[in-house]
Amino acid sequence: MAMAAKTHSQWTLSSGCSSSRGYTRARSMKWRRSSNYLARAATSTAIVAAGIKYVDGEEAKKLVTEEGYSVVDVRDKSQFDRAHIKPSTHVPLFTVNTDGDISTSIRRVMHNGFAGLFYGIAFTKPNSNFVADVERSFSKDSKLLLVCQEGLRSGQAAEKLEEAGFRNLAFIDNGLQKVKPDLFATEGPKQLQDAGKAGLVTIQGQFSVVLGAILVSAYLFLTLFPTQAEELFFKK
């Protein structure tokens, strides 16, 4: 199941491929193989190293029940609290950003007003202690299944841990959002598939569509026409 990038020499033409037809065919194969690799690598924000397994939900369940893998959940606390695999160890790759500098404060207000409001996404920053936190709970020889909601953070986490010396790593490449209901024992008020859903997007029906359109329109008006907005809403 491990995925490894082909080296340049593995894709070059052999000395026996001297005809133009053979050259064209070999270049076509090179393109298709490279495209397939890149498409697979897109499940993570980083190229997954050869020692890391990427698995689907059913394969992940076998790793846990048959091969002794421990589940490490790298999502933020809000998603973890909504639903998580039982048992699992929570070590977030990103933590809530409480920095008070002006730039961060402005970005926090913008985030909470829209991404936070509509999708319930926490305003976070990279957890600088992530590797150290994992090392406090597991040895470098431990078998770890890393999970997140979409498969992106767990791919990043796997790469960081491999660089730190962990060798038995796997992650669910499409995340918990694609895991079949009741495949794992869970804790929390929601299903694993829905743990990433919060905010206004959870409001069903036409009301959410109308309210969302109003809020987005208001935001764009305030952003693009600040002078007119001030005169309209704040003029005494």
Side-chain angles (χ1 to χ4, degrees):
M1 293 295 298
M3 179 176 64
K6 296 289 187 181
T7 63
H8 177 72
S9 61
Q10 288 174 291
W11 294 126
T12 55
L13 299 175
S14 65
S15 58
C17 186
S18 58
S19 69
S20 60
R21 179 179 300 176
Y23 177 79
T24 302
R25 185 186 304 116
R27 286 186 60 85
S28 177
M29 290 175 64
K30 173 184 175 181
W31 183 88
R32 289 199 300 270
R33 290 173 180 172
S34 299
S35 297
N36 290 338
Y37 169 73
L38 292 174
R40 194 60 174 173
T43 60
S44 172
T45 56
I47 296 176
V48 181
I52 302 171
K53 299 179 181 179
Y54 55 94
V55 298
D56 59 24
E58 287 77 9
E59 292 166 336
K61 180 66 177 292
K62 290 181 179 179
L63 291 180
V64 173
T65 59
E66 299 178 11
E67 298 188 31
Y69 275 69
S70 298
V71 178
V72 179
D73 195 317
V74 303
R75 297 173 298 169
D76 62 67
K77 186 177 184 299
S78 61
Q79 292 182 338
F80 180 82
D81 288 344
R82 291 174 199 141
H84 58 266
I85 295 173
K86 177 184 178 181
S88 62
T89 301
H90 183 222
V91 186
L93 185 63
F94 293 86
T95 57
V96 174
N97 190 345
T98 59
D99 295 347
D101 60 277
I102 294 177
S103 175
T104 300
S105 298
I106 293 174
R107 289 188 289 111
R108 182 185 298 110
V109 170
M110 297 296 292
H111 172 94
N112 291 340
F114 292 90
L117 179 64
F118 279 97
Y119 302 105
I121 299 174
F123 182 65
T124 60
K125 64 179 179 179
N127 177 10
S128 59
N129 296 318
F130 173 74
V131 172
D133 290 344
V134 174
E135 290 176 335
R136 276 192 285 270
S137 299
F138 301 98
S139 69
K140 297 292 179 64
D141 294 327
S142 298
K143 297 178 179 180
L144 303 181
L145 173 66
L146 302 154
V147 301
C148 69
Q149 202 64 29
E150 301 85 11
L152 301 176
R153 287 167 289 182
S154 54
Q156 290 181 337
E159 186 184 53
K160 286 180 177 292
L161 292 178
E162 193 199 38
E163 291 175 352
F166 287 82
R167 288 294 176 263
N168 300 303
L169 302 169
F171 75 99
I172 303 178
D173 59 355
N174 288 316
L176 296 175
Q177 65 181 355
K178 296 298 184 181
V179 170
K180 293 180 180 178
D182 302 320
L183 181 63
F184 291 94
T186 63
E187 288 183 323
K190 290 191 173 185
Q191 293 286 335
L192 288 175
Q193 302 79 7
D194 298 326
K197 299 176 182 178
L200 293 179
V201 295
T202 61
I203 301 175
Q204 301 299 317
Q206 190 65 25
F207 173 73
S208 62
V209 177
V210 174
L211 180 59
I214 292 173
L215 290 174
V216 170
S217 298
Y219 169 71
L220 291 175
F221 182 71
L222 290 169
T223 302
L224 301 176
F225 306 102
T227 303
Q228 293 86 336
E230 182 178 358
E231 292 178 354
L232 180 62
F233 297 110
F234 305 108
K235 186 177 182 179
K236 296 181 179 180

